[in-house]
Amino acid sequence: MNHPTKTYRIKGMHCASCAGIIEKTFKKTEGVHSAEVNYGTEKAKVAFDESKISAQELSKKIEPLGYSLALDQEMSHEHGDQSAKDMGMSADEHAAHLGLNQSKKEKLAEVADMRTKVISAIPLAIFAAIVMGWDILAQYGVVGEMSYTIKEFFHHLLPIFATYILFVVGKPYLLGFYRFLRYGKANMDTLIGIGTSAAFLYSFAVTAFEDVLRPFINVEYQYYDVTIVVITFIALGKYLEARSKIKTGDAIEKLLNLQAKTALVIRDGKEMEISVNDVKHGDLIIVKPGAKIPVDGVITEGSSFVDESMVTGEPMPAQKKTGDSVVSGTINTSGSFTFKATKVGSETLLAQIIKMVEDAQGSKAPIQALADKISSIFVPIVLVIAFLTLGAWLIIGSQYLGFSQALSFGLVSFVGILVIACPCALGLATPTAIIVGVGKGAKEGILIKDAATLEKLHKVNTVVVDKTGTITKGKPTLVDIQNLSDLKDDELVSILASLEKKSEHPIAHAIVNYAQEKNISTSDISNFEGIQGKGLKGIVKGTEYFVGNAKLVSDLKVSFDTAKLNEFTSQGKTPVILSIKEKVLGFVMVADEIKAESVEAVKNLHALGIKVVMLTGDDEKAAKYIASLVGIDDVVAHVLPEDKLKKIQELQSQGRVVAMAGDGVNDAPALAQADVGIAMGTGTDVAIESAGITLLGGDISKLVKAIKLSKITMRGIKQNLFWAFIYNIVGIPLAAGALYPVFGWLLNPVFAGFAMAMSSVSVVSNSLRIKAKKL
């Protein structure tokens, strides 16, 4: 039985190992079929049997561990189960429903609270660092020793500072320690809690029982400063990380802000302004100049130019007239018009885009699996290493250094290991980059279905494109005029257009459109007659003209040099010949014109090392000619829709990673077979579901952008993972004192704390860099 998957926001997540703990707890719970927890978005996707367990009970399972589900904002329902309430939601409700406004408010409050604590801690940390620095410099004779009075003053002041820092600023870490003792569950807070508490308790014991302990250990060494500075650094790091993490998700917020709040509808013959959620299918809505379009629909009267850049990324406003479709969130520029609502609430394109971006940001990329595995076992392993290190210092170190010195070094190493080990950098490495990458894509009109697609796309080395509509404009245009008479070119076109005006053929439309664009006037005609399969004839200004193909000319028995004609037809162009009874006056060529951006796009794909294969139903010669103009590597002609699938399988069997760009409707099977399916939506009507990536405004140059985006994002993730790993691999042995026997190096826990705080911040900052990259 298929159980619905629900998404909940999780409160209280502080690090990557939290995700592992929550996921394991859920998976062990009876009635839960699957659970996926993402630290980047702080959300859990859980599929469970509601007859066995409720969401409230699930929340109870994790509450003792310090987490809870935000149950007032369950997010997605089972796909397709869109209740009526779900349809008509205002942007605010929608945001609350997606846990956005709510979580954003909560998040901002949380960040403000962190900020207050950090600001209170920084002066104390600076003070402690000065005392510590003085001590170190005095040992090397750089500065004079502190006088006895000053030393005593600090001796009593630092414990007070340390107590405030540990119990107020460091409260989450103490709770982590407590939960570890009580439930045996450890996360990153636990590590810091144990480390800083150990330094504090040791120092406290030394301060309290100074005289009793003097014979056994060196009571001059106390580690209050370590507690103060380490917790401050980590709190600062967490604050910076939380602040940046809010920034990573701002793409969704921008999309939400596109939604209009109200709509001007005509009800009972009167105009009235109502809330967007009250708009029903079939309502007539008036859009004034400069207003946002509230829902999707079709124009019934009026015309205008609509700025769709926020949805399709196309900079030029699109012309809209009666019968054209408009989508919500786009802005009307000049005219005013009335349209009929066809899609409202969560059916609108904008709502689908928001949902898609949400889902994609919350999905996991395969590259993350390893980091997740490591994060989940990371904390227990680090605890074991820390205790083993302390033991080794006490047992082995005492023999060489004496007990007092060994205990001191052992403690420093113990605290250092616990503090420097940072599963967070590992846990943040992938999700933060994915969130930023997917968000950046959405801004450019590149919709990415999930993280796995984004990851796959960077490996693509072959792109398969459809000729019609992708490389070419997909509608016939007049591309060439060959004049063989004394008439001016314009007169020739005028006669042709006058005759073709009466015809319904697409080629006739191409000629008439050309005349309109060039403002060439047409004349009235008489005795119009269609000649089946050959063309047509009619009288213009007293002369009888014939318009049609080569067959028509040979029927007229007019001498005509066909060499030139054949040259054009071999390029996939269709000739339309104008003739009178005595001779041919000239001919025009109609062809599917190549999109201006195709040549550039193919060149850019080649620069990325990608081979381009074009599929077309045309004949071989014409296809090869177009391919040569655009610079395409390989052409497959006479293709039927089912052959597309076979061609892709054939390329894959040669070990190629294939992306297929199609229009998403009749190419669905081929898109599904390709490693990455890319739907080229023209304008705004697109089948978002059919492909891994949807390019709004069907422009092939966006395909290049999408691939670049994927490469940039993956590079970011790999850098993040590399640094996170290296940092732990180098940091932990260094903190443990592995280099002490050789170089006499021992890492002060303060530096460990600084390094740990910076590792997470650097990972999030590196992900935010993706935003600034030019595609």
Side-chain angles (χ1 to χ4, degrees):
M1 186 183 151
N2 194 2
H3 295 287
T5 301
K6 301 205 169 173
T7 308
Y8 299 98
R9 211 170 55 78
I10 299 174
K11 298 180 181 173
M13 276 178 85
H14 294 297
C15 67
S17 41
C18 298
I21 293 172
I22 297 169
E23 208 166 283
K24 275 194 196 122
T25 311
F26 281 163
K27 281 181 178 159
K28 275 196 225 140
T29 307
E30 197 196 342
V32 173
H33 295 269
S34 69
E36 187 182 296
V37 180
N38 185 322
Y39 173 46
T41 53
E42 297 180 16
K43 284 177 189 165
K45 284 184 190 160
V46 197
F48 58 95
D49 183 342
E50 297 192 46
S51 60
K52 291 192 183 150
I53 189 158
S54 70
Q56 282 75 8
E57 289 166 316
L58 277 176
S59 188
K60 292 261 185 323
K61 289 271 179 208
I62 53 174
E63 275 164 22
L65 309 174
Y67 315 109
S68 65
L69 297 180
L71 290 174
D72 47 332
Q73 330 149 4
E74 164 198 325
M75 288 164 222
S76 65
H77 312 289
E78 189 171 7
H79 301 301
D81 154 40
Q82 300 283 12
S83 60
K85 155 181 157 298
D86 218 38
M87 292 297 189
M89 277 193 297
S90 68
D92 298 335
E93 282 174 342
H94 189 61
H97 170 77
L98 293 173
L100 277 163
N101 266 6
Q102 169 73 16
S103 79
K104 175 109 186 194
K105 278 200 190 99
E106 276 181 24
K107 273 263 160 280
L108 289 170
E110 206 177 300
V111 168
D113 178 52
M114 286 175 154
R115 184 164 175 259
T116 319
K117 286 185 172 159
V118 169
I119 288 174
S120 72
I122 286 175
L124 308 187
I126 292 173
F127 185 79
I130 291 172
V131 175
M132 199 158 61
W134 194 335
D135 256 353
I136 294 168
L137 293 175
Q139 285 172 11
Y140 294 105
V142 180
V143 296
E145 284 276 336
M146 284 186 215
S147 68
Y148 178 73
T149 330
I150 294 177
K151 215 170 193 168
E152 275 300 294
F153 172 63
F154 288 150
H155 190 69
H156 291 87
L157 192 60
L158 287 179
I160 300 168
F161 285 2
T163 310
Y164 167 76
I165 297 264
L166 182 64
F167 290 96
V168 178
V169 183
K171 188 174 152 205
Y173 312 121
L174 287 178
L175 286 173
F177 188 6
Y178 161 74
R179 289 190 193 109
F180 171 64
L181 296 176
R182 175 129 187 236
Y183 303 102
K185 290 272 197 283
N187 63 12
M188 199 204 78
D189 293 349
T190 314
L191 295 181
I192 296 160
I194 294 174
T196 50
S197 305
F200 182 81
L201 293 172
Y202 171 83
S203 312
F204 184 74
V206 169
T207 313
F209 308 108
E210 197 170 337
D211 296 336
V212 184
L213 295 171
R214 197 177 295 266
F216 307 103
I217 57 175
N218 180 353
V219 290
E220 294 302 309
Y221 279 113
Q222 291 159 5
Y223 297 106
Y224 291 121
D225 45 8
V226 168
T227 309
I228 296 169
V229 181
V230 165
I231 289 180
T232 303
F233 269 144
I234 288 165
L236 175 67
K238 283 270 161 215
Y239 162 66
L240 293 174
E241 176 196 313
R243 216 179 66 174
S244 314
K245 244 170 94 179
I246 289 181
K247 277 201 198 106
T248 59
D250 61 9
I252 282 255
E253 208 189 334
K254 288 209 173 81
L255 285 170
L256 277 170
N257 289 339
L258 293 178
Q259 287 184 317
K261 305 274 188 287
T262 59
L264 191 60
V265 299
I266 301 172
R267 294 246 171 113
D268 311 323
K270 288 200 290 285
E271 288 185 21
M272 51 195 285
E273 192 161 340
I274 59 170
S275 162
V276 165
N277 12 337
D278 299 332
V279 176
K280 296 185 185 61
H281 292 137
D283 268 344
L284 287 176
I285 298 164
I286 299 169
V287 184
K288 301 263 167 83
K292 270 186 191 168
I293 292 169
V295 292
D296 294 9
V298 176
I299 295 183
T300 53
E301 63 170 294
S303 66
S304 178
F305 284 88
V306 175
D307 176 4
E308 295 183 336
S309 59
M310 58 293 291
V311 180
T312 61
E314 297 298 315
M316 291 294 290
Q319 186 174 9
K320 300 282 178 186
K321 49 188 189 307
T322 307
D324 287 344
S325 55
V326 289
V327 296
S328 67
T330 57
I331 296 169
N332 180 21
T333 56
S334 50
S336 66
F337 57 87
T338 307
F339 76 97
K340 186 167 127 197
T342 54
K343 290 183 177 169
V344 298
S346 59
E347 309 163 319
T348 64
L349 177 68
L350 186 60
Q352 286 182 312
I353 291 176
I354 290 172
K355 174 140 187 29
M356 188 168 174
V357 173
E358 271 257 284
D359 289 348
Q361 289 186 339
S363 62
K364 288 191 176 183
I367 193 167
Q368 203 179 333
L370 179 67
D372 279 351
K373 275 208 186 77
I374 291 171
S375 299
S376 64
I377 54 168
F378 189 88
V379 175
I381 288 174
V382 169
L383 276 170
V384 170
I385 295 175
F387 281 105
L388 288 175
T389 305
L390 181 60
W393 272 109
L394 292 178
I395 297 160
I396 303 162
S398 305
Q399 298 169 16
Y400 297 100
L401 304 165
F403 178 75
S404 167
Q405 188 70 10
L407 175 66
S408 178
F409 284 174
L411 188 75
V412 166
S413 302
F414 176 74
V415 176
I417 290 171
L418 293 178
V419 168
I420 203 165
C422 178
C424 268
L426 277 179
L428 286 168
T430 318
T432 51
I434 293 283
I435 290 170
V436 176
V438 167
K440 187 177 176 68
K443 261 205 199 83
E444 298 271 355
I446 300 166
L447 299 184
I448 295 154
K449 200 171 195 173
D450 54 25
T453 308
L454 190 61
E455 179 174 331
K456 250 191 251 154
L457 188 60
H458 89 286
K459 296 199 186 93
V460 164
N461 52 22
T462 308
V463 171
V464 175
V465 291
D466 229 3
K467 184 198 84 158
T468 312
T470 308
I471 297 294
T472 61
K473 287 186 173 160
K475 63 169 204 247
T477 6
L478 192 153
V479 289
D480 203 355
I481 300 172
Q482 295 288 322
N483 192 342
L484 309 172
S485 68
D486 315 330
L487 296 167
K488 291 202 182 85
D489 281 2
D490 282 3
E491 289 170 339
L492 194 74
V493 173
S494 171
I495 297 167
L496 271 170
S498 304
L499 289 158
E500 294 283 21
K501 241 189 347 203
K502 295 272 198 221
S503 165
E504 281 306 308
H505 199 282
I507 288 180
H509 289 315
I511 295 173
V512 175
N513 286 346
Y514 177 83
Q516 282 170 348
E517 276 169 26
K518 293 274 184 278
N519 290 328
I520 298 171
S521 60
T522 53
S523 318
D524 291 335
I525 60 165
S526 54
N527 301 16
F528 175 83
E529 193 185 319
I531 305 165
Q532 187 62 41
K534 294 171 190 171
L536 46 92
K537 63 179 182 175
I539 297 174
V540 180
K541 294 181 183 163
T543 313
E544 185 172 30
Y545 293 100
F546 298 83
V547 176
N549 54 20
K551 278 205 205 97
L552 181 71
V553 176
S554 60
D555 283 1
L556 285 170
K557 310 223 171 4
V558 180
S559 65
F560 179 57
D561 172 18
T562 53
K564 191 130 198 185
L565 211 57
N566 295 342
E567 181 194 326
F568 281 118
T569 40
S570 69
Q571 299 171 359
K573 295 173 183 170
T574 309
V576 178
I577 307 167
L578 177 65
S579 171
I580 47 177
K581 275 206 182 75
E582 301 75 33
K583 60 169 188 169
V584 171
L585 301 174
F587 55 91
V588 293
M589 286 295 168
V590 173
D592 188 0
E593 206 181 349
I594 292 172
K595 286 187 183 175
E597 61 271 13
S598 298
V599 182
E600 188 63 21
V602 170
K603 209 159 65 203
N604 289 334
L605 286 170
H606 285 156
L608 291 170
I610 293 167
K611 178 178 164 187
V612 185
V613 178
M614 182 174 87
L615 305 181
T616 173
D618 290 357
D619 69 283
E620 190 110 7
K621 242 175 160 175
K624 286 218 157 105
Y625 171 71
I626 285 202
S628 67
L629 288 183
V630 184
I632 284 167
D633 306 287
D634 192 3
V635 179
V636 188
H638 299 297
V639 175
L640 296 167
E642 52 272 27
D643 302 337
K644 292 181 182 176
L645 187 71
K646 293 198 189 89
K647 180 65 190 173
I648 287 173
Q649 285 168 330
E650 180 192 319
L651 285 164
Q652 285 169 327
S653 65
Q654 296 164 15
R656 295 194 147 274
V657 185
V658 181
M660 158 88 190
D663 59 11
V665 186
N666 58 17
D667 299 332
L671 290 177
Q673 175 63 40
D675 296 279
V676 179
I678 298 168
M680 313 275 287
T682 39
T684 43
D685 47 331
V686 324
I688 290 188
E689 298 74 44
S690 60
I693 288 181
T694 305
L695 305 178
L696 293 172
D699 174 347
I700 188 172
S701 58
K702 279 203 186 141
L703 175 60
V704 182
K705 284 187 176 178
I707 293 172
K708 280 189 185 159
L709 178 69
S710 167
K711 288 191 187 293
I712 291 170
T713 309
M714 290 313 295
R715 199 178 313 134
I717 290 175
K718 285 174 181 159
Q719 289 163 349
N720 286 351
L721 286 170
F722 172 77
W723 287 113
F725 274 114
I726 283 293
Y727 161 83
N728 282 305
I729 291 164
V730 171
I732 293 173
L734 189 62
L739 300 179
Y740 184 78
V742 195
F743 299 109
W745 286 355
L746 198 56
L747 188 67
N748 186 316
V750 166
F751 294 112
F754 177 71
M756 192 224 104
M758 286 307 107
S759 72
S760 296
V761 175
S762 61
V763 162
V764 179
S765 308
N766 192 39
S767 295
L768 283 172
R769 261 186 32 201
I770 296 172
K771 262 191 193 176
K773 289 264 168 69
K774 191 164 166 14
L775 289 183

